[in-house]
Amino acid sequence: MIRYLPLSKYCNDFGDTVNAVNLRLKRGIWAQGVHVFKVSGIKERQVDIVAVDEWKGKEKQKCRVA
C-alpha cells in the first residue's frame, strides 16, 4: 500500500482541494508533520494517507456520538 502521496495526487484521487487542506492545517485540524509534510529535495508537500484515514475515522466516531 502507498502511504504518502504528493498533495496534487491526493487532491485528484480523493476529491479534495489544496485550499481545503491548507485551511485544515491553518485551523489546526490537521498537523504539519503528521498529515502533511515537506520532504527535502521534493518541491511538493506530501500527504500521509494513513494519518488522514485515522483522522477520518475519529471524525466519523464524533458524528455517531452527536
Side-chain angles (χ1 to χ4, degrees), residues 14-61:
F14 291 92
D16 214 341
T17 66
V18 174
N19 287 336
V21 171
N22 289 334
L23 194 57
R24 285 187 205 111
L25 289 167
K26 183 178 178 182
R27 291 181 175 170
I29 297 168
W30 283 8
Q32 186 72 35
V34 176
H35 301 94
V36 179
F37 58 96
K38 181 79 174 105
V39 176
S40 181
I42 299 177
K43 288 184 181 181
E44 192 169 11
R45 293 178 291 169
Q46 304 293 303
V47 177
D48 184 334
I49 302 304
V50 173
V52 170
D53 246 12
E54 289 171 1
W55 169 76
K56 286 181 181 177
K58 289 177 186 174
E59 287 299 305
K60 192 173 180 181
Q61 287 177 349

